Amino acid sequence: MISVGEALDIVRQHASSFGIEMVPLLQSVGRILAQDVKADRDFPPFNRATMDGIAISNQAFQAGTRSFIIESIQPAGHPQKQLDNTSHCIEIMTGAMLPFGTDAVIRYEDIIIGNNVATVNINAVSPWQNVHLQATDEKAGEILVISGIKITPAIVATMATVGLANVAVYRMPRIAVCSTGDELVPVNAQPLPHQIRQSNCYMLLTALQQAGINATAYHLPDEPVAMEQQMQKMLQQYDVLLFSGAVSKGKFDYLPQVLQQLGMQTLFHSIAQKPGKPLLFGRFNAGPLVFGFPGNPVSTWVCYQLYFKAWLSRCLGVSASVVAALLSKTTTFKPQLTCHLLVKLINTNGSVLAEPVDMSTSGDMVNLMKADGFISLPASEDTFAAGRLFNVHLFD
């Protein structure tokens, strides 16, 4: 067996870029940005009103004027108007250009309008009051969003503002997700007493969707010839094969044998960890990488989160999500293995606590739902005191 650290090093060493592609703006959310987004003009591009009200010359107010004849209205989206008489005003709407000759906006709530005259009922007005000044957010040519970050809806809005109808993003790998086992039936089938419905494949497929990857699902029976026939086709179509199950020591765990017969080089096939000890990682020359996750759902999920995401993050040049938290209670783990302890995060008195989630087995899918992530407890220790600070690997 190799250590968790050694396994992660091997996985990261086999990361590579899959290039860059252009996608429509509406399809970019969740993808990794492959270009800097620059301001095509000042932000905001003009002095804009932040309130509905009247635009005035502050100098006139300071000179004692309190009643202003309304010359016109400045709507949002209309060309900039001119205040002809500095003792007058122009009604203005939120988002509109501040008219020439004005330098303050007084809210409708602070005036009374009658007979086309606006009378101010507050005692103080300051220059540029309720005005968002041109270029105070960013100047034209400045970088608004840097390359290499995950695109969010807010970033989509920013890219729309600067006119990016199409966006450069890092190309995602082509991935096949393969469930294994004769005991598995489709989700819409009624299982017999000796069968269960497929679930790990849906967990992996939807996790990949959250990462911006539309993977293809397969199911492999516990029969070597049939497995080999299906996988021969996959080797030409995909960059990565994700398997769930058939990698342990059982008599029907044919997957490692079949993969080797097809030409896979095994990079490791056992890690000193729990759950996920029999994790398989390999590669085909000029072909896909292989992640063979143990079949129990907790093992599959933890190995996906720790190893596959480490690989994908290195390919895309981003970092996995972690947060520091204090262990909520003393925990013991005797085997000399790294223990991936599932935890739920709790905010208490300003501190983030990691509360261990009780698990019956690595097949305990119900309690898996309660976990926010996991802590990797080092194999060199067996007792971990309450209050100790750990990094929590966050689940998507």
Side-chain angles (χ1 to χ4, degrees), residues 185-190 197-198 202:
V185 298
V187 66
N188 58 353
Q190 179 60 48
R197 293 186 180 93
Q198 296 172 0
Y202 291 100

Side-chain angles (χ1 to χ4, degrees), residues 56-137:
I56 68 165
S57 164
N58 180 61
Q59 184 177 4
F61 183 90
Q62 301 306 329
T65 302
R66 294 296 182 269
S67 293
F68 298 84
I69 295 174
I70 299 172
E71 287 188 355
S72 61
I73 297 178
Q74 175 76 68
H78 285 233
Q80 187 178 30
K81 294 194 174 186
Q82 168 77 49
L83 182 66
D84 295 326
N85 187 322
T86 57
S87 65
H88 294 177
C89 70
I90 293 177
E91 283 192 75
I92 192 166
M93 304 299 111
T94 300
M97 296 185 76
L98 193 69
F100 286 114
T102 68
D103 59 2
V105 173
I106 302 175
R107 305 179 307 164
Y108 277 132
E109 294 91 330
D110 298 324
I111 61 176
I112 297 173
I113 295 179
N115 298 320
N116 205 45
V117 174
T119 301
V120 179
N121 56 19
I122 56 175
N123 296 321
V125 173
S126 57
W128 310 116
Q129 175 176 300
N130 298 320
V131 177
H132 192 181
L133 291 172
Q134 180 174 344
T136 51
D137 294 345

Side-chain angles (χ1 to χ4, degrees), residues 178 180 220 231 234 241-245 255 259 290-293:
C178 308
T180 64
L220 303 178
M231 283 192 282
M234 298 180 202
L241 305 179
L242 301 184
F243 296 94
S244 179
L255 184 61
L259 288 167
V290 172
F291 288 84
F293 303 132

Side-chain angles (χ1 to χ4, degrees), residues 12-214:
R12 291 187 178 113
Q13 288 167 9
H14 288 82
S16 61
S17 172
F18 294 92
I20 292 172
E21 63 180 342
M22 300 297 295
V23 298
L25 180 62
L26 285 176
Q27 295 178 20
S28 67
V29 69
R31 301 292 297 273
I32 304 300
L33 187 64
Q35 66 177 93
D36 290 337
V37 177
K38 295 183 179 181
D40 63 333
R41 56 182 183 161
D42 291 340
F43 271 55
F46 48 82
N47 294 337
R48 61 183 292 274
T50 62
M51 294 286 181
D52 299 320
I54 58 171
I56 68 165
S57 164
N58 180 61
Q59 184 177 4
F61 183 90
Q62 301 306 329
T65 302
R66 294 296 182 269
S67 293
F68 298 84
I69 295 174
I70 299 172
E71 287 188 355
S72 61
I73 297 178
Q74 175 76 68
H78 285 233
Q80 187 178 30
K81 294 194 174 186
Q82 168 77 49
L83 182 66
D84 295 326
N85 187 322
T86 57
S87 65
H88 294 177
C89 70
I90 293 177
E91 283 192 75
I92 192 166
M93 304 299 111
T94 300
M97 296 185 76
L98 193 69
F100 286 114
T102 68
D103 59 2
V105 173
I106 302 175
R107 305 179 307 164
Y108 277 132
E109 294 91 330
D110 298 324
I111 61 176
I112 297 173
I113 295 179
N115 298 320
N116 205 45
V117 174
T119 301
V120 179
N121 56 19
I122 56 175
N123 296 321
V125 173
S126 57
W128 310 116
Q129 175 176 300
N130 298 320
V131 177
H132 192 181
L133 291 172
Q134 180 174 344
T136 51
D137 294 345
E138 291 290 352
K139 296 181 180 179
E142 293 293 318
I143 295 176
L144 304 177
V145 189
I146 60 171
S147 175
I149 67 172
K150 189 173 184 178
I151 298 173
T152 64
I155 292 174
V156 169
T158 299
M159 294 190 295
T161 299
V162 302
L164 284 180
N166 295 286
V167 184
V169 297
Y170 287 104
R171 190 183 298 276
M172 292 297 193
R174 299 165 301 167
I175 296 180
V177 173
C178 308
S179 57
T180 64
D182 291 341
E183 74 278 16
L184 299 179
V185 298
V187 66
N188 58 353
Q190 179 60 48
L192 297 173
H194 58 279
Q195 296 174 323
I196 58 175
R197 293 186 180 93
Q198 296 172 0
S199 57
N200 287 356
C201 62
Y202 291 100
M203 180 168 62
L204 294 174
L205 289 166
T206 51
L208 291 167
Q209 283 180 358
Q210 287 185 326
I213 300 172
N214 291 318

Side-chain angles (χ1 to χ4, degrees), residues 168-299:
V169 297
Y170 287 104
R171 190 183 298 276
M172 292 297 193
R174 299 165 301 167
I175 296 180
V177 173
C178 308
S179 57
T180 64
D182 291 341
E183 74 278 16
L184 299 179
V185 298
V187 66
N188 58 353
Q190 179 60 48
L192 297 173
H194 58 279
Q195 296 174 323
I196 58 175
R197 293 186 180 93
Q198 296 172 0
S199 57
N200 287 356
C201 62
Y202 291 100
M203 180 168 62
L204 294 174
L205 289 166
T206 51
L208 291 167
Q209 283 180 358
Q210 287 185 326
I213 300 172
N214 291 318
T216 305
Y218 294 87
H219 179 71
L220 303 178
D222 289 328
E223 203 285 309
V225 174
M227 292 177 77
E228 183 173 347
Q229 289 174 345
Q230 285 203 50
M231 283 192 282
Q232 281 178 336
K233 300 175 183 178
M234 298 180 202
L235 299 183
Q236 309 303 318
Q237 300 177 38
Y238 299 101
D239 301 305
V240 183
L241 305 179
L242 301 184
F243 296 94
S244 179
V247 295
S248 192
K249 300 294 185 181
K251 290 187 176 181
F252 295 92
D253 290 336
Y254 298 117
L255 184 61
Q257 167 193 329
V258 172
L259 288 167
Q260 289 175 350
Q261 288 172 354
L262 289 169
M264 185 195 74
Q265 175 190 354
T266 301
L267 298 171
F268 61 76
H269 187 191
S270 189
I271 304 176
Q273 65 179 10
K274 185 176 181 180
K277 182 179 175 182
L279 176 65
L280 169 67
F281 182 62
R283 68 176 182 183
F284 287 88
N285 289 331
L289 285 175
V290 172
F291 288 84
F293 303 132
N296 281 324
V298 178
S299 300

